[in-house]
Amino acid sequence: MELSQLVGLSVLVAVLGVGLAVMLWAYEGAGSQVVLFESPVERRKLADDVAPVFHRGCEEFRAGDYRKAANTFAGCLASNPNLAEAYHNRGLALANLRQDDDAVEDLLLACDRYGKEDRKSDLEAVKQALAAIKARKDENS
């Protein structure tokens, strides 16, 4: 193998390595976390079947494991699709993972559930979360 072929092969491997690293970075949720929301919302009264899962999601959120928390809250929603706090918390976790479009979708679903229960203070909390996401997006534009 000639020296020029070896150099060409080395450059090709380096480019492929950088490309793979960038793709993995993007796949992992924009590659970084920005903690807009430090704590999840709690709910005292929960059905026995969903309470342990919901509280585990809150613990994961407080520990900073937002990806795991989002998945745990998704599990809550699989068994209880009207649990506003699970949408709310999953939205906050996704926002911390910089997955803003998905976060906004979940926060709007939380708004819908809170509205049906006439929970104005919880609606206000979601409104503030949406404003924080919008401000971050405007700041980065």
Side-chain angles (χ1 to χ4, degrees), residues 100-116:
D100 291 343
D101 293 341
D102 293 331
V104 167
E105 185 178 328
D106 276 351
L107 291 170
L108 292 175
L109 289 167
C111 274
D112 179 59
R113 271 63 176 185
Y114 287 142
K116 288 177 181 174

Side-chain angles (χ1 to χ4, degrees), residues 3 6 34 37 45 48 63 77 92 94 96 98-99 109 114-115 123 135 137 140:
L3 181 61
L6 185 60
V34 175
F37 309 105
K45 280 185 153 182
D48 289 342
L77 293 166
L92 299 179
L94 291 171
N96 285 348
R98 299 189 64 108
Q99 296 176 8
L109 289 167
Y114 287 142
L123 281 168
K137 199 168 201 165
N140 292 328

Side-chain angles (χ1 to χ4, degrees), residues 37 39-41 61 87-97 103 107 129:
F37 309 105
S39 57
V41 295
F61 191 108
Y87 284 111
H88 193 160
N89 285 337
R90 188 171 67 175
L92 299 179
L94 291 171
N96 285 348
L97 292 168
L107 291 170

Side-chain angles (χ1 to χ4, degrees), residues 48-64:
D48 289 342
D49 62 329
V50 75
V53 179
F54 182 84
H55 293 302
R56 186 175 72 236
C58 290
E59 290 170 16
E60 293 163 350
F61 191 108
R62 282 189 289 275

